[in-house]
């Protein structure tokens, strides 16, 4: 049995690759190890499937800190706006939410996946589920055939590897593709967890003092060993029983990993600004005025409303201010240090949860060895890569799925062109 194009992996990148190849008139086989296609897509965006993002391309690239710039050429051929038109063409109406995030109007990932499956059926793409691929074989310096776990061998003129990274392996992404890429001569850059909760040994975390507390619209930074911010993100966060999580933390997480690695540190300092719209001096003056105006009232009551109550009490205690003490008894010095804590509460973190628990895998097939306009391997004719297996990683918010769909489009299209035009005997 032989095909023009075999796509391995039915996540967003593989589904798009199979459609793009099918649209070129190629005979396409899509293989997935799972019972269903698009299992990770189904749980993305809280189960509503965050298909893409509507920010300008320049912004999208900024939100893909892991080699986003590699995607400039790809975006000039197939962009986020093309993704939107593509889905609308499939009959999936989309709506824009905060930060440019695009979701199906139905709020159901199923409607996105069903539309992709319908298109695959229209294009007569053959689909094999429950079929784990064991290996890819290369002969005479070219891509040759796929070997399933059952031992079955299937020939193809070109093969698209779309098997994802190593995160959330229960969705099928178990990192199988790295060995195949290596065999073809590719470099795999160091894998690491990104978009992942951060862990801490700080006593207030270990004692669960703030567990479950959410802080809205805060500014969170990862500091370098000299105390300067490496990155700052303004979003929400939550304290957990092991550390911190929530959107701002997920975005900062890869910088924690990288800082620990770069400077060989057991711990990294983070700084939390809980009142980002005010300067420290302005805040101090405001607090001092409030305290002066109500000398007999308890500090915690006077400062109520400044911060969520649990966090206010915590920061007062951190600065050795008894929350029940009268305002008149608090020294200016302590108020100054309290204002400083509101603006830059610093604490140590010692890593993240595992790559398996991360939303996204950082690192992967080096983009230096991939043609940016076609997703073709520079090492092996007939081999193409797309999606999270590549050393490309973005923030959550539709950026990873956008990268998967854009690279999938190009990989499928060019794998078909290669098979149909260039590689016929
Ligand atoms: C909970 C969660 C929420 C997320 N939310 C967002 C979000 O809001 N926005 C965003 O941009 N990104 C989000 N992501 C990330 C995004 O879902 C992934 O980056 C994206 O799915 C990657 O697509 P992919 O096609 O490369 O790989 P995957 O979606 O991982 O698909 C890979 C496929 O390959 C198959 N496969 C693997 N090995 C084999 C093999 N040996 N043989 C056959 N088949 C194989 C797997 O079964 C799987 O179906 C989220 C991830 C998670 C886990």
């Amino acid at each position: 049995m032989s095909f023009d194009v075999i796509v391995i992996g039915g996540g967003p990148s593989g589904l798009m690759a199979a459609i793009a190849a099918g649209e070129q008139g190629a005979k396409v086989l899509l293989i997935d190890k799972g019972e269903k296609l698009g299992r990770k897509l189904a749980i993305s965006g809280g189960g509503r499937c965050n298909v893409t993002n509507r920010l300008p391309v320049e912004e999208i690239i900024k939100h893909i800190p892991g080699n986003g710039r590699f995607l400039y050429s790809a975006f000039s051929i197939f962009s986020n706006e093309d993704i939107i038109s593509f889905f609308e063409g499939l009959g999936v109406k989309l709506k824009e939410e905060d930060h440019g995030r695009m979701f199906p109007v139905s709020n159901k990932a199923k409607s996105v996946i069903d539309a992709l499956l319908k298109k695959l059926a229209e294009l007569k793409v053959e689909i094999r589920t429950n079929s784990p691929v064991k290996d890819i074989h290369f002969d005479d310096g070219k891509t040759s055939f796929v070997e399933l776990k059952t031992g079955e061998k299937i020939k193809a003129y070109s093969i698209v590897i779309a098997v994802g990274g190593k995160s959330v392996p229960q969705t099928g992404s178990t990192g199988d593709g790295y060995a195949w890429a290596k065999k073809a001569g590719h470099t795999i850059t160091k894998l690491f967890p990104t978009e992942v909760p951060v862990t801490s040994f700080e006593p207030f975390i270990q004692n669960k003092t703030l567990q479950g507390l959410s802080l809205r619209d805060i500014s969170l930074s990862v500091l370098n060993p000299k105390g300067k911010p490496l990155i700052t993100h303004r979003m929400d966060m939550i304290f957990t029983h092991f550390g911190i999580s929530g959107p701002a933390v997920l975005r900062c997480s890869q910088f924690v990993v990288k800082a620990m690695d770069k400077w060989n540190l057991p711990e990294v300092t983070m700084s939390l600004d809980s009142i980002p719209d005010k300067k420290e001096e302005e805040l101090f003056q405001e607090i001092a005025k409030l305290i002066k105006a109500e000398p007999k009232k308890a500090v915690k009551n006077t400062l109520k409303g400044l911060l969520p109550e649990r966090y206010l009490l915590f920061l007062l205690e951190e600065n050795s201010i008894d929350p029940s003490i009268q305002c008149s008894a608090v020294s200016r010095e302590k108020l100054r240090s309290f204002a400083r804590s509101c603006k830059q509460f610093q604490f140590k973190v010692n890593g993240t949860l595992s790559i398996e628990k991360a939303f996204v895998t950082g690192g992967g097939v080096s983009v230096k060895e991939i043609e940016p306009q076609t997703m073709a391997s520079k090492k092996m004719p007939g081999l193409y890569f797309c999606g999270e297996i590549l050393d490309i990683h973005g923030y959550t918010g539709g950026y990873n799925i956008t990268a998967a769909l854009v690279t999938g489009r190009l990989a499928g299209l060019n794998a078909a062109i290669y098979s149909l035009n260039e590689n016929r005997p």
Side-chain angles (χ1 to χ4, degrees), residues 386-402:
C386 53
E388 207 176 302
I389 187 170
L390 289 167
D391 181 8
I392 297 175
H393 57 90
Y395 296 134
T396 48
Y399 305 104
N400 295 290
I401 296 173
T402 300

Side-chain angles (χ1 to χ4, degrees), residues 188-243:
I188 310 300
T189 61
K190 190 171 176 186
L191 303 179
F192 58 93
T194 80
E195 300 300 293
V196 62
V198 168
T199 55
S200 171
F201 284 150
E202 287 279 5
F204 75 92
I205 294 288
Q206 296 298 314
N207 300 337
K208 304 183 174 43
T209 313
L210 296 176
Q211 184 182 343
L213 173 68
S214 295
L215 296 178
R216 301 235 164 267
D217 198 21
I218 51 81
S219 220
L220 187 67
S221 304
V222 181
L223 306 185
N224 70 14
K226 290 189 172 155
K228 292 267 173 297
L230 286 168
I231 187 84
T232 301
H233 279 293
R234 186 162 171 179
M235 289 186 117
D236 301 344
M237 66 170 281
I238 184 167
F239 293 95
T240 67
H241 61 287
F242 54 77

Side-chain angles (χ1 to χ4, degrees), residues 9 11-13 32-33 39 45 133 168 172-173 176 387-388 398-401:
S13 68
D32 199 287
K33 63 155 73 152
R39 283 180 292 168
V133 169
V168 192
S173 333
D176 302 3
E388 207 176 302
Y399 305 104
N400 295 290
I401 296 173

Side-chain angles (χ1 to χ4, degrees), residues 166-396:
K166 284 188 85 167
S167 303
V168 192
Q170 55 277 29
T171 62
S173 333
T174 45
D176 302 3
Y178 303 119
W180 310 333
K182 264 194 196 160
K183 191 171 149 186
H186 282 276
T187 311
I188 310 300
T189 61
K190 190 171 176 186
L191 303 179
F192 58 93
T194 80
E195 300 300 293
V196 62
V198 168
T199 55
S200 171
F201 284 150
E202 287 279 5
F204 75 92
I205 294 288
Q206 296 298 314
N207 300 337
K208 304 183 174 43
T209 313
L210 296 176
Q211 184 182 343
L213 173 68
S214 295
L215 296 178
R216 301 235 164 267
D217 198 21
I218 51 81
S219 220
L220 187 67
S221 304
V222 181
L223 306 185
N224 70 14
K226 290 189 172 155
K228 292 267 173 297
L230 286 168
I231 187 84
T232 301
H233 279 293
R234 186 162 171 179
M235 289 186 117
D236 301 344
M237 66 170 281
I238 184 167
F239 293 95
T240 67
H241 61 287
F242 54 77
I244 49 174
S245 190
V249 176
L250 296 182
R251 289 193 173 196
C252 284
S253 61
Q254 62 184 284
F255 298 90
V256 169
V257 174
K258 283 181 189 155
M260 289 177 70
D261 203 37
K262 181 170 176 187
W263 290 288
N264 199 14
L265 299 169
E267 288 186 317
V268 172
T269 304
M270 293 188 80
S271 182
L272 168 56
D273 179 352
S274 45
I275 308 180
D277 284 331
K278 289 194 178 133
K279 293 226 155 51
E280 191 175 316
E281 183 57 28
E282 182 192 353
L283 179 65
F284 167 67
Q285 295 299 344
E286 201 175 289
I287 292 170
K289 204 167 148 195
L290 285 171
I291 294 284
K292 202 170 166 199
E294 305 199 80
K296 294 222 152 52
K297 217 166 157 183
V299 185
K300 65 175 180 192
N301 294 334
T302 301
L303 297 183
K304 206 160 98 186
L306 189 68
L307 291 169
E309 193 181 355
R310 267 175 87 191
Y311 194 58
L312 171 68
L313 297 180
F314 171 72
L315 286 190
L316 286 171
E317 279 164 12
E318 280 286 303
N319 287 286
S320 312
I321 302 173
D322 176 351
S324 311
I325 206 169
Q326 284 189 342
C327 289
S328 57
V330 188
S331 71
R332 243 179 120 70
E333 233 174 18
K334 281 192 176 172
L335 281 186
R336 200 170 268 288
S337 79
F338 169 73
R340 166 159 286 226
S341 296
C342 293
K343 289 297 293 172
Q344 38 177 319
F345 172 61
Q346 295 195 355
F347 56 97
K348 302 260 189 221
V349 296
N350 65 341
T352 66
L353 295 187
S354 68
I355 199 163
E356 286 76 19
K357 294 214 163 84
F359 282 78
V360 180
T361 298
V365 175
S366 170
V367 292
K368 291 184 190 144
E369 298 161 358
I370 303 294
E371 295 289 353
Q373 298 198 326
T374 62
M375 299 302 134
S377 159
K378 289 182 182 172
K379 301 278 177 185
M380 184 61 70
L383 188 63
Y384 294 78
F385 291 92
C386 53
E388 207 176 302
I389 187 170
L390 289 167
D391 181 8
I392 297 175
H393 57 90
Y395 296 134
T396 48

